Amino acid sequence: MRQVNGCHVMAKPSSSKCNIDCDYCFYLEKEMLYPDQKQQWKMNDETLEKFIKQYIEAQNGNHVEFAWQGGEPTLMGIDFFERAMVLQAKYKGDKTIANSFQTNGIALNQSWCDFLKRHHFLVGVSIDGPQKHHDQYRKTRSGKGTHTQVIAAITLLKKNNITFNTLTVVNRHNAKYPLEIYRYLKKIGSTYIQFIPLVERKSSQPTDDGLYLVSPEHDSAHITEWSVVSQDYGNFLTTVYDEWVNNDVGKVYIQMFESALSSWCGDSSTLCIFAESCGHSLALESNGDVYNCDHFVYPEYKLGNIHHQSLTTMNYSEQARRFGQDKSDTLNTKCRRCEYLSVCHGGCPKHRISNVQGYSHHNYLCAAYYQFFQHATPTMNVMSRLIEDGRPIELIMPMLSTRAKTINKRSRNVQCPCGSGKKFKRCCGQ
């Protein structure tokens, strides 16, 4: 078992409640787990105080990062978060506190901006691209698109000089438009971008708890119609990567690429899905229930409740340790023999299902990740060497520009200079 070093908690003070009704949302139906919360779904002050005190105590370092999500956290109102700030000051001691806030942006107004700026929140805004792509799935309860309201929120954040990033769910639809999506995000001012692949499985019959979107252990389930196709996601990543590595290194930060580069340099992945083991990234429900992971909010993955056990106790529990270690212990032979195991580690356990490439318990996105890592290897090697030499990775861009000019002068039948061993016309000349 690896040593546990604190934990990260994704707090959901509004539980699964949201002010929009995205077609692909995996969390809305979690209300079935809490039928008594249909009227009392907000985190109360007692739970809030216990969480803040326990979370600060659970950190081994001097820096504590609070992540507020949902559902939709703005439904809690500004007063709730003002109380949270007071409690953080009460219990922080010598530690420093940072807060992030993931929102759909619909309810953001000047009052929210005043609060977020005053307390130096990092704001994550969910947006799936231009209007025709965003509105495909991200809709109001009446079925109307939400893109116009999201752009208004981003405009307001920029007007108030509030740091924000964007989270884009890569789904069955928008995965086919990588450059359009990426260039649009840059156009609206996003310089820190998260791409989250959408993979969910739906059972024809609900579980005993009333859930249709089931955990990987269920065999009788099918990939949802809105989940991204693995090949499309691979093409999405490689296409965006080429645009980024040739033009935007050092100017735009894409979580997926930064994490891969970290692994290439021999450091731990900064993205949990590519970490060697997982766990200790917990999810907190509004009533104080704690689960192994945001994507494993199922009864069998419940660790306990902060009203009965401390976060530290649950984080160091055998269940939490086993959940984290299972990621590496349950790797199949294909993963263990893969040349990219050290940077992928089998991907997110939520996406490991049966009958993928003829293997059981295999990642649905394996082909996508393999395509991306293979494609990025030459330039990742160069950037990791630049870092090793103490040189800025932005140098990769003029290096690639010079190389392209050289290649354009070459005969199409000579060996490709990338080192693949193939003829130029069969490799980089395509």
Side-chain angles (χ1 to χ4, degrees):
M1 294 285 187
R2 70 183 179 98
Q3 182 178 359
V4 181
N5 184 26
C7 64
H8 180 268
V9 174
M10 187 178 294
K12 297 175 177 290
S14 61
S15 188
S16 61
K17 295 295 181 181
C18 192
N19 51 2
I20 62 175
D21 189 17
C22 300
D23 292 343
Y24 58 52
C25 183
F26 73 96
Y27 215 82
L28 285 174
E29 73 168 17
K30 301 300 182 184
E31 68 178 4
M32 301 300 296
L33 300 177
Y34 298 97
D36 58 330
Q37 288 186 359
K38 289 187 177 180
Q39 300 301 323
Q40 298 178 340
W41 47 269
K42 291 185 177 182
M43 180 179 287
N44 62 37
D45 288 348
E46 181 186 3
T47 304
L48 175 64
E49 184 163 5
K50 282 185 179 293
F51 164 56
I52 289 176
K53 182 177 184 294
Q54 291 182 22
Y55 188 49
I56 292 173
E57 291 173 346
Q59 306 311 312
N60 296 332
N62 292 320
H63 183 70
V64 186
E65 296 186 1
F66 283 83
W68 305 95
Q69 297 206 5
E72 173 53 39
T74 57
L75 294 178
M76 297 300 297
I78 295 174
D79 288 346
F80 172 86
F81 288 99
E82 289 283 15
R83 293 195 295 275
M85 299 301 100
V86 171
L87 291 169
Q88 288 178 357
K90 177 181 177 180
Y91 291 110
K92 71 176 184 177
D94 295 330
K95 296 181 178 181
T96 59
I97 305 291
N99 288 275
S100 63
F101 192 80
Q102 185 65 41
T103 177
N104 57 40
I106 303 300
L108 291 185
N109 54 26
Q110 188 57 50
S111 295
W112 270 110
C113 286
D114 291 341
F115 166 80
L116 295 168
K117 186 172 184 179
R118 183 166 64 252
H119 294 287
H120 309 289
F121 270 60
L122 170 64
V123 180
V125 181
S126 299
I127 182 168
D128 289 353
Q131 185 166 15
K132 63 182 178 179
H133 302 310
H134 176 93
D135 287 348
Q136 179 76 18
Y137 296 118
R138 300 188 65 83
K139 302 172 184 175
T140 65
R141 293 191 183 94
S142 61
K144 296 180 180 179
T146 60
H147 181 268
T148 300
Q149 294 159 285
V150 176
I151 291 300
I154 290 175
T155 301
L156 193 59
L157 291 171
K158 291 193 291 186
K159 179 182 177 181
N160 285 273
N161 295 314
I162 295 173
T163 303
F164 76 96
N165 59 40
T166 54
L167 186 154
T168 298
V169 176
V170 184
N171 52 63
R172 182 73 58 98
H173 171 78
N174 66 1
K176 297 179 175 65
Y177 307 92
L179 287 182
E180 187 176 349
I181 301 297
Y182 176 51
R183 290 171 180 172
Y184 181 76
L185 294 174
K186 290 194 294 181
K187 179 181 176 182
I188 63 175
S190 180
T191 56
Y192 190 94
I193 297 170
Q194 297 180 61
F195 291 121
I196 308 297
L198 177 60
V199 181
E200 287 291 340
R201 296 167 66 244
K202 186 174 183 178
S203 174
S204 57
Q205 298 294 327
T207 65
D208 293 340
D209 301 290
L211 302 180
Y212 281 90
L213 299 177
V214 295
S215 65
E217 286 75 20
H218 284 73
D219 293 328
S220 57
H222 61 274
I223 298 295
T224 61
E225 61 184 16
W226 52 80
S227 293
V228 66
V229 175
S230 183
Q231 182 179 357
D232 288 346
Y233 188 52
N235 292 337
F236 183 95
L237 290 176
T238 55
T239 302
V240 172
Y241 179 79
D242 283 347
E243 176 91 353
W244 174 79
V245 79
N246 279 281
N247 304 288
D248 299 322
V249 177
K251 296 180 290 185
V252 178
Y253 299 89
I254 300 177
Q255 186 185 47
M256 173 76 172
F257 304 158
E258 300 292 332
S259 174
L261 182 57
S262 178
S263 296
W264 240 269
C265 293
D267 299 323
S268 298
S269 172
T270 58
L271 194 57
C272 67
I273 63 171
F274 295 139
E276 184 175 2
S277 60
C278 59
H280 316 296
S281 292
L282 313 176
L284 175 77
E285 265 289 332
S286 62
N287 71 338
D289 283 349
V290 177
Y291 292 85
N292 280 120
C293 173
D294 174 48
H295 288 276
F296 283 85
V297 178
Y298 302 102
E300 59 267 36
Y301 293 100
K302 179 180 169 181
L303 290 170
N305 186 288
I306 61 174
H307 290 280
H308 309 299
Q309 297 171 281
S310 70
L311 276 171
T312 298
T313 298
M314 287 183 275
N315 184 45
Y316 283 84
S317 68
E318 178 59 26
Q319 179 181 334
R321 289 176 177 272
R322 175 45 53 196
F323 177 83
Q325 193 61 35
D326 277 348
K327 179 178 183 181
S328 58
D329 289 351
T330 59
L331 285 173
N332 61 33
T333 55
K334 182 176 178 63
C335 284
R336 294 183 187 278
R337 295 170 181 170
C338 180
E339 59 188 301
Y340 299 113
L341 176 61
S342 62
V343 293
C344 176
H345 295 293
C348 179
K350 177 68 180 291
H351 300 158
R352 295 182 186 177
I353 59 178
S354 297
N355 300 320
V356 176
Q357 299 181 6
Y359 289 82
S360 63
H361 200 63
H362 197 66
N363 199 299
Y364 172 81
L365 296 173
C366 173
Y369 292 143
Y370 190 92
Q371 178 184 348
F372 168 67
F373 292 134
Q374 185 180 53
H375 181 82
T377 291
T379 45
M380 284 287 176
N381 287 341
V382 173
M383 287 189 286
S384 64
R385 286 197 296 269
L386 288 172
I387 292 173
E388 184 179 349
D389 294 341
R391 304 169 70 192
I393 60 172
E394 291 87 336
L395 289 176
I396 188 70
M397 293 183 291
M399 291 169 68
L400 289 173
S401 178
T402 301
R403 175 175 171 272
K405 292 175 182 178
T406 301
I407 288 176
N408 287 337
K409 298 177 182 179
R410 290 177 176 267
S411 165
R412 289 178 53 79
N413 288 307
V414 301
Q415 190 176 59
C416 189
C418 75
S420 66
K422 301 178 181 178
K423 288 185 177 180
F424 171 65
K425 67 180 180 181
R426 299 294 184 190
C427 190
C428 294
Q430 289 184 321

